[in-house]
Amino acid sequence: MIAFLPRRPRFARRAVPAWLSHPLGWRSGPVPRAAVVRGALSAGPLLALGVLTGEVGPGVLAALGAMLAGVNDRPGTRRTGVVHIGLPAAAGAFGVLCGGLLADTGGRWAAVPALFVVGWLSGALSVAGPVWSAAAMQLLVTASIGAGMPLAGPAWLKASCYLGGAAWLLLLRFLLRAPSRRRGARWDGEREAVAAVFDALADVLRAVGGPDAGAARRRLTAAQQRADESVRLMRLLSWPARTGGSAAAHRIVTRFGAATALCEAGIALLWEGRPLPAQVAEGPRRLAAAVRADGAPGALPSPASDTVQRGAFDRALLDAAIAFDRTEPDAEPPPYATTPAPPRTPRTVRRLLGRVFAPARRENGLRVALCVAASTAVALSLHQDHWYWLPATAAFLVKPDLGPLFSRVVNRVAGTAAGVLVFILLTAATAGLGGPWWVIAVVVTGGALIPVATRHFGFQTAVVTLLVLSFLYAAGDTEATVARLLDTALACAIVLLVGHLPHLTDPRLRVGHRFAVALRCTERYLRHVLDTPPADDTPRATGAPYGTGTPAPTGGDAAGVALRHAAYRALAEARAVAETAAAELPGPHRTHRHDWLAVVARTERIVEAATVCAVRVEQGVPAPSAAEAREVTEALAAMADALEEGRPLAAAALPPVPSRCRSLGDVMTHLHGIQALTTAA
């Protein structure tokens, strides 16, 4: 009998490259109805007020401030909104002030070196985190607008109008919320953030040993970061002495401490990899419901401590139940502790300059500065007025934290073309209408779309283009539509050219910096857990992680919790940068062949193993020897230095894998794996 093999296809189907599929990606999620209402009530009424009073210029600037504030109007508590909206708005107002002063006192071509300096500062600040990145973006964009938009009035008045528009949106965020008669309802946002941590932990426990465990752990990390930020700002921007507020705030802080200790034990179960009974996840689910109801969790699943990791989890669950019982609504809250803040070592000028001129910050700042300065020079050569569009477009394109460069360029061109086309059609359809009131209707609609449009860069570009063209039309510039499309194409060409220059866009600097931060945070955490002094004279961090007065979480000291949170936060930022680098166009650097996502996976295992080491030591497992701990922490520091400097680490720089401690052995195994990945051609 003859067996006939299936015929192979002539052309094998290949997977679509990430750089080609990324422009079509769309973030899903529920529609933020409250943010949609705030967007509709923000820029449109401000522009209408300017038209009614005859002060169109200030009205346009106020509407612009409200529009850019709406881009940062993300889900979260009202206090996180103060930071996420307020800090970028303050930076944007400062940019308008600087740009206005430049337009009033300097010549036209003075804008080129001035925006080069602002661009370098903006690019360097973008590495500091998402909020600082948003602030740096608004600083650069508004400096270009302030210098190039011909609006009457002194610079300080322009900046005040811009800041007033952003403040109006922030005021709407405080005013437009669901009414509640429950005691302590003003902490509902923080309460929901803490409950989300327990829910995410339950998802992790259900996924242990399965293919979705890694994704569940990343969702848990994100939930912890949001809750950590919410609790920090709750303590910073509140008055605990207020009647009823002290008890509710104390319950939230204490229950978040219980969630932190429980998550640490849950990560140990995840590292162990043994599937768990379904009832194990019921404990965190009931705790989440108790947080939302501001009550007690009731009966929790019985313990079954068959391993060290499971024993740690059961102990943390028992401690959480005790903490919840002590903080029921009718219980008298204890006074807040006054834990001293962590001591800060004095920073010399040399250390400060070293951080500012670090390779990743220097490379990012130089790339942004060159793109914006070149775009400004081209714009000044082509336009007498309204030349700001070209450098402002380049600023949006060149920022690497907004996505891969090719994807940004494609979406920017498509979004601008769509926005221009829609505005032309609206202008033709409303040609017989008198006055700018149809423009205000467009601004109201566009403001309502911004919270949804932020899920895709092309959609967001189309909405922002439509809004900016409406602002210009209301200010009297009715001929700028087609010119904006040409400026966008020129900005895309400049950014693509500069973005692929050799020796300027090496991904080892941008991506390696994030991994270096994650490994250094892990090293500090391990040193703290094992009480191993660092190789240099840098003192180990101590003190409360959530601000003065926050009690240490159950099951761990406050400094260890702060160090572990820093490691997971840096790990999440490293994954985001690695995903962006994986979707970039293949460039001239051989380092583009590195599998950065595989490096992320191994770095995640290193951080998890460090957490497991802490759990095992707390449960009484003998700690590794001082020599073994020192070898592992020094190896982490050496790998971090190599990734920061963009160089491969020599094979002799890493010691062999220790055999007496499972968790430290896991750390060293994955360090060897990272070494192999980053030295491969």
Side-chain angles (χ1 to χ4, degrees), residues 21 270 312 342 383 476 556:
S21 60
L270 180 65
H383 306 290

Side-chain angles (χ1 to χ4, degrees), residues 85-115:
I85 297 175
L87 182 60
F94 183 70
V96 173
L97 178 64
C98 294
L101 293 175
L102 179 65
D104 294 340
T105 60
R108 279 171 51 86
W109 291 97
V112 176
L115 290 181

Side-chain angles (χ1 to χ4, degrees), residues 380-438:
L380 289 172
S381 302
L382 296 177
H383 306 290
Q384 289 295 322
D385 297 321
H386 298 288
W387 53 264
Y388 58 88
W389 188 283
L390 211 158
T393 301
F396 278 109
L397 289 172
V398 76
K399 295 264 292 179
D401 52 316
L402 297 180
L405 179 58
F406 178 77
S407 176
R408 279 175 282 157
V409 167
V410 171
N411 285 317
R412 185 73 185 184
V413 172
T416 302
V420 168
L421 178 61
V422 170
F423 190 80
I424 290 175
L425 294 177
L426 288 174
T427 304
T430 58
L433 299 178
W437 297 108
W438 67 271

Side-chain angles (χ1 to χ4, degrees), residues 458-495:
F459 188 18
Q460 179 181 349
T461 299
V463 174
V464 170
T465 299
L466 186 62
L467 286 171
V468 174
L469 290 176
S470 300
F471 296 156
L472 295 177
Y473 191 92
D477 185 6
T478 59
E479 304 295 332
T481 306
V482 179
R484 299 293 80 83
L485 189 58
L486 177 61
D487 287 346
T488 298
L490 287 174
C492 291
I494 293 172
V495 171

Side-chain angles (χ1 to χ4, degrees), residues 61 64-65 68 86-104 111 114-115 117-119 121-122 125 134-149 154-163 387-388 392:
L61 285 171
L64 180 65
L68 292 179
L87 182 60
F94 183 70
V96 173
L97 178 64
C98 294
L101 293 175
L102 179 65
D104 294 340
L115 290 181
V117 174
V118 177
L121 179 62
S122 174
L125 286 176
M137 169 62 72
Q138 287 206 24
L139 172 67
L140 182 55
V141 170
T142 56
S144 304
I145 293 175
M149 180 179 284
W156 65 267
L157 179 60
K158 297 178 183 178
S160 300
C161 293
Y162 178 91
L163 189 61
W387 53 264
Y388 58 88

